[in-house]
Amino acid sequence: MLLLALCAALPLLADEGMWLPNLIARRIDDMGAKGCRLSAEDIYSVNKASLKDAVVLFGSGCTGELVSPQGLLFTNHHCGYSYIQRHSSVEHDYLKDGFWAMSRDEELPNPGLTVSFLERMEDVTDVVLYGWEPSMGEEARDSVATANARRLEKEVSVPAKGLRASVEALYHANKYYLFVYRIYRDVRLVGAPPSSIGKFGGDTDNWMWPRHTGDFSIFRIYADADGNPADYSPDNVPYRPKKYFSISRAGVKEGDFTFVYGCPGSTREYVHSEEVRYIGEVSDPQKIALRTKRLDIQRKYMSQSQAVRIQYSAKNASVSNAWKKWQGESRGVARLGTVAAKQAYEKRFSAWAAGGPYDGLVERLGALYGRREPYYLAYEYFNETVRSMELLSLAWHVHGLLERGRDAGPMVKNFFKDYYEPIDRESLAAMLEAFRTNMPLDFQPEYFKSRLSECGSVDALVQDIYSRTIFTDRDAVASLGKGDMLRVESDPAYLLYKAFSDWMNSDIMPVLDSINKEIKTANRLYMKAQMEFEPERDFYPDANLTLRVAYGKVAGYSPADAVYYSPVSTLKGIMEKDNPDIFDYNIPQVLRDIYAAGGHEAQPVCFLATNHTTGGNSGSPVLNADGKLVGINFDRVWEGTMSDLQFDPDYCRNISLDVRYLLFVIKEIGHAEWLFAEMDMD
Ligand code: ARG
Ligand code: ASP
């Protein structure tokens, strides 16, 4: 009975967590019990090469991993997408057809692309808060911390060696950590599958299982002769990493231990019930409804014309990506009862806090979120409506460029390449109508209200804007110069955007910023208090794009009554989906031929596991019990996307590409087996 009562009191943390690698010793016994055969030093060490030396932050929002002593790197296709696109033209459509360098000299440089290796990380809270004491108050804490952090970063950074130091707040700024990165900037494209493999399933399958996306691309890091970071130069040589991952071709099966080593972007696991209620019951549903309207309009025109489909494919993907994620998040917190569970927790917390330094804290936080809500919703509404409208934004940006005496030509040219007026115009009408009906009258700009009463309706207002604006006329916009300022400033598209933007700056942001500041401070105390309230619990810090380890096991899940998804997908499933008439499912003919030749039915493609990941973990190495590469993380299942707020071992699954499918595609599709020679495979 006692044991049962104890079990019920402790939250079940099965596989939840994004752990700091330098503190992985605290988890290594649990990892071992779940099957891991590595030591903490194998995973993270400052004294010898460890697995952390084979993981990089790829660009500014993905992860990548080293897989050869010659600087070869794997990441996702969707992480390399914009670079692959930049090398593509009508003659060489690498996005569509794929790209395979057949030797080092064919690898393509990518100006602006960097990869960051973590040299070391350490707790510098004492240094950052040096000179501050509680009696000085919170304002002082912030300014002391900022000044000390900037000074420390400056001291430790060595730009000439590509060393950049960055102080990051963890545990809602209760702790500060120094991260020292070595940043390489000559990173070349080596290979990418055709999009019909690398993006197979497109937005139809995005966030879904069963999944069959070959979501990988291959790059190589180059360095100067001494191995130091350098600008692109033909004289640079492949970077020799301290460590790279060996590849295991043994594969995975249900129940196998795996871990993910990467850079998760952002989570909010310890926030107040009111923040979760706002996200799950207000913000997500409102934004989903707005985006559903825009996606319907895009889809209608995209299905009527091939040209429009191409123009809007990237825009459609980005609108749709968060739209689908929010649906899983909002249903997920509802199903889990996160708000009620947090309220119950807050009640226990309050009872514990009574009479002490944290007395009244959760009540104060709740009230702050209540005050913030209308302002935050207005801010989100502005972002999702006016700020996302193409013509209005064009007017705004052209004005900004002219004001600074810059040439708007290139921007205008780019804009019209992918602009289809009927989509934008219908979206504008739908978004303004939603704004008019859903925002309280005292949360609408005066200009908008008066224009509406002048014109009589949203449709008439949009009609009026489009009949008078200059911004639909490509040539006229391209030839605008500084002398046309008056004309731009009286344009109805510009005026509408400006009215909303001014209203944001005067009526919304000042209030929002000041409440947010109070929330930040209260959240710091609340985090600290929660750690004192549950001293036995091992708290992992919320994600902030710093390096983390998540571990779990290969596992299927049951998304609905009477449905069970097993965790491994195969080439057979690609053939089941294959359909030349559906863009997302139209595979290359060569893949059909290979399959028809026989013997590849069981070729594994993707797998599911219980690792706790989020955006930014894309491209992360998925490793087996021996630290060998078995997959590349690229997504989660949508039913589990509330893991950013609360992890549920029954529904939260990360989706990985099976590394054996990557090897299959390199060989059978790319004929780039020359790359195998430098990889370490067993
Ligand atoms: N859902 C994944 C992530 O959040 C992949 C997104 C890219 N793929 C797409 N079809 N939009 O980033
Ligand atoms: N697809 C995400 C990424 O790009 C990963 C995730 O949200 O699970 O980082």
Side-chain angles (χ1 to χ4, degrees), residues 353-375:
Y358 307 119
D359 198 350
L361 179 58
V362 289
E363 293 74 13
R364 196 162 90 236
L365 258 170
L368 281 168
Y369 282 115
R371 266 172 57 209
R372 183 178 78 161
E373 185 160 324
Y375 293 90

Side-chain angles (χ1 to χ4, degrees), residues 61-63 76 78-79 206-207 211 215 263-265 321 325 612-620 633-637 641 643-644 653-655:
C62 276
T63 306
N76 289 147
H78 79 261
C79 296
N206 191 23
W207 302 109
R211 189 65 160 277
D215 200 343
C263 311
N321 195 40
K325 190 215 144 167
H612 189 184
T613 56
T614 188
N617 268 124
S618 274
S620 300
N633 183 73
F634 68 94
D635 209 4
R636 281 171 288 167
V637 299
T641 49
S643 61
D644 293 351
R653 296 291 178 270
N654 66 309
I655 309 181

Side-chain angles (χ1 to χ4, degrees), residues 225-275:
D226 303 321
N228 288 319
D231 288 332
Y232 167 80
S233 154
D235 300 333
N236 286 348
V237 294
Y239 167 68
R240 301 197 149 268
K242 285 187 224 159
K243 185 90 187 170
Y244 60 92
F245 289 108
S246 308
I247 295 171
S248 166
R249 283 176 293 188
V252 292
K253 55 177 192 319
E254 184 133 30
D256 281 357
F257 175 84
T258 62
F259 69 108
V260 173
Y261 212 152
C263 311
S266 161
T267 59
R268 284 173 281 186
E269 310 283 348
Y270 309 105
V271 291
H272 193 277
S273 57
E274 276 300 292
E275 174 152 8

